[in-house]
Amino acid sequence: MNEPRPNFRLPTIDDRGPTYAVWEVTLRCNQACRFCGTRAGRVGPDELNTTEARELIRQLAGLGVREVSMHGGEAFLRDDLYEIVGAIREHGMAATLVTGGRGLSLDVARRMRAVDITAVSVSLDGPREIHDRLRGNVGSFDHALAALGYLEEVGIAVGANTQINRENLFELHALYETLRQHPLYGWQVQLMVPMGRAADEPGLWLEPYDLLELMPTLDELRHRADEDKIPLWAGDNIGYFGPFEDTLRGDRVPGGCSSGCGGGVLAIGIEANGDIKGCSAMASEGFVAGNVRNQPLRQLWDNAAELKLSRCFDMNKLWGFCRTCYYADACKGGCIWTANTILGQYGNNPYCHHRALEFLVGGQRERLVRVRAAPGKNRDCALFELVVEPAPAEWASHVRARNQAQPITAETPLAASV
């Protein structure tokens, strides 16, 4: 458990361009995950070919990108993946990959090692039964663990990532018992967002008030992971500014606390067809700045309004609770993708720890009500409304105790200790 791990540098803001690119290299996939935001499965009809991919890589290097993180679908199913990885490394950038692990054999791991892939993160979403159920595939958990083993065997740095939802919310400690058996360079966790297939799963998405269970759990896990020397990284859509913010971000991000969405600031997102966005997780509609086939990346980065949503954030876009929040200037409404996906516009994000605590002080909590189903297309969204309801007394007492890093009273706002 104390083996050396890669020392990946924290990105820093650079006015010249992004330092980190997240590239959906294909929509082809060999699993049917219930929470897949892209409804991946088949190859997209207009995915970048090898020549176009190499040109994209050249432009990413010219933009100052230091790491290209590839995902899918299932990235290693792309026939020219090893050529793509080789091109990324030739241009002096780190080449990392996220995988579900199904079908990642020892031979595949050896081929990845041969092209000098930097690191691979394996998706694990709970103990065996829960993981398999979420992935829509019996045996998926065992495949993921086998993939970890093969990657370790050939000497590739391995990490893990988890989408947090209602089925695994209370199983994260059990999942960690599995993860800690591996020499992970890090474990990244983020909230599942009800986009794509996840929008069709009313029992799967978290309610905003579930953060009052999740955040204390992540605080506990951070301390456990520190003992095992495994960095725990909270995604941009987890937070914000509650009593555990310093634990989760104090030594993980510039400034030590959430500073809003990182899309288009430190990062750039690329869809399989070459569409460019601030964050690859975002919906296509309203967030695509252009396509690399017909517009240079530098031109898009410098001029496209869609890539400046966070870089030049308009505070007038804030509304609802976020409009008058004490932390508005710093947080800027948190994750744009999350807020826009559920409410149809960004600037009011109910998945906020500070916000949930403020409602708790008033004896209330927020929950989502789906008012329009998703149409069943790639990266589609349902539409939700927020309902404020009385907090059940027994539940309120329980979560109040769980979150009591400082006294909770009506006279003492539950701001973060940051």
Side-chain angles (χ1 to χ4, degrees):
M1 292 307 301
N2 294 316
E3 297 177 23
R5 294 176 174 80
N7 183 22
F8 293 110
R9 294 175 56 189
L10 290 173
T12 56
I13 295 176
D14 188 332
D15 290 336
R16 294 171 298 173
T19 58
Y20 182 61
V22 182
W23 180 8
E24 171 198 75
V25 295
T26 184
L27 285 173
R28 182 181 176 186
C29 195
N30 54 12
Q31 300 200 74
C33 302
R34 292 163 56 201
F35 51 76
C36 181
T38 62
R39 300 183 187 269
R42 298 180 180 179
V43 176
D46 55 352
E47 295 184 0
L48 298 178
N49 62 35
T50 306
T51 300
E52 292 168 332
R54 292 186 70 94
E55 172 58 19
L56 168 64
I57 291 164
R58 185 191 69 79
Q59 292 191 47
L60 287 172
L63 206 56
V65 168
R66 300 174 196 166
E67 177 183 344
V68 180
S69 178
M70 297 161 285
H71 69 101
E74 181 54 78
F76 75 81
L77 295 180
R78 182 166 170 140
D79 294 336
D80 59 354
L81 176 73
Y82 306 104
E83 184 174 345
I84 288 173
V85 172
I88 293 170
R89 300 298 282 140
E90 288 167 9
H91 281 83
M93 297 180 287
T96 59
L97 183 142
V98 177
T99 179
R102 186 182 181 207
L104 199 160
S105 63
L106 181 58
D107 180 62
V108 169
R110 285 171 174 158
R111 294 184 69 185
M112 289 180 177
R113 185 73 177 91
V115 294
D116 195 26
I117 197 163
T118 310
V120 176
S121 180
V122 178
S123 301
L124 281 156
D125 298 298
R128 180 176 285 102
E129 182 179 347
I130 290 175
H131 178 94
D132 287 358
R133 190 162 64 239
L134 288 169
R135 294 277 163 176
N137 191 324
V138 174
S140 177
F141 181 84
D142 292 331
H143 278 277
L145 288 188
L148 270 176
Y150 295 141
L151 293 163
E152 292 168 33
E153 182 176 338
V154 301
I156 294 175
V158 292
N161 60 88
T162 300
Q163 297 268 354
I164 301 173
N165 54 71
R166 277 218 141 187
E167 290 202 11
N168 64 17
L169 174 60
F170 296 102
E171 301 293 339
L172 296 175
H173 276 286
L175 172 60
Y176 183 70
E177 282 300 316
T178 297
L179 297 178
R180 68 189 298 270
Q181 305 305 316
H182 297 269
L184 303 181
Y185 64 77
W187 178 28
Q188 179 169 323
V189 295
Q190 70 175 41
L191 303 185
M192 186 211 80
V193 175
M195 179 181 182
R197 291 193 196 117
D200 305 334
E201 294 273 358
L204 203 53
W205 58 71
L206 294 176
E207 296 291 355
Y209 60 75
D210 285 327
L211 290 185
L212 298 175
E213 289 282 7
L214 173 61
M215 299 306 291
T217 299
L218 292 182
D219 177 69
E220 295 161 357
L221 287 166
R222 170 65 201 264
H223 290 295
R224 291 189 66 190
D226 282 353
E227 290 179 0
D228 292 328
K229 295 182 170 50
I230 297 175
L232 171 63
W233 296 322
D236 281 353
N237 71 350
I238 288 181
Y240 308 92
F241 294 100
F244 309 118
E245 178 80 356
D246 186 57
T247 301
L248 291 180
R249 289 194 169 88
D251 60 348
R252 291 284 186 266
V253 298
C257 61
S258 177
S259 58
C261 178
V265 182
L266 302 173
I268 190 168
I270 307 142
E271 292 188 13
N273 67 353
D275 281 346
I276 304 300
K277 302 180 293 189
C279 169
S280 71
M282 290 174 172
S284 301
E285 184 177 351
F287 294 101
V288 171
N291 191 284
V292 71
R293 285 186 170 110
N294 46 49
Q295 289 178 275
L297 274 183
R298 167 57 66 185
Q299 184 182 99
L300 290 171
W301 182 264
D302 289 343
N303 302 318
E306 293 85 353
L307 295 183
K308 295 184 177 181
L309 295 178
S310 295
R311 218 181 324 161
C312 306
F313 190 81
D314 180 0
M315 296 299 288
N316 290 319
K317 294 293 185 180
L318 296 180
W319 58 285
F321 183 97
C322 291
R323 179 77 174 184
T324 59
C325 179
Y326 178 83
Y327 296 106
D329 287 343
C331 181
K332 305 178 186 67
C335 176
I336 288 176
W337 165 51
T338 301
N340 193 81
T341 296
I342 60 177
L343 298 177
Q345 59 179 312
Y346 62 91
N348 184 28
N349 185 355
Y351 285 108
C352 166
H353 191 210
H354 165 68
R355 176 169 171 160
L357 287 167
E358 290 289 291
F359 273 98
L360 180 63
V361 168
Q364 298 176 314
R365 65 185 191 178
E366 291 181 293
R367 63 179 174 86
L368 302 179
V369 175
R370 187 176 60 182
V371 296
R372 187 184 69 209
K377 299 178 181 179
N378 178 262
R379 284 191 178 82
D380 58 344
C381 302
L383 183 65
F384 297 84
E385 289 182 351
L386 288 170
V387 172
V388 178
E389 63 186 15
E394 185 176 349
W395 173 86
S397 177
H398 166 72
V399 296
R400 188 174 290 113
R402 289 275 284 144
N403 287 268
Q404 205 145 10
Q406 54 184 329
I408 299 178
T409 69
E411 292 74 34
T412 306
L414 295 177
S417 56
V418 297

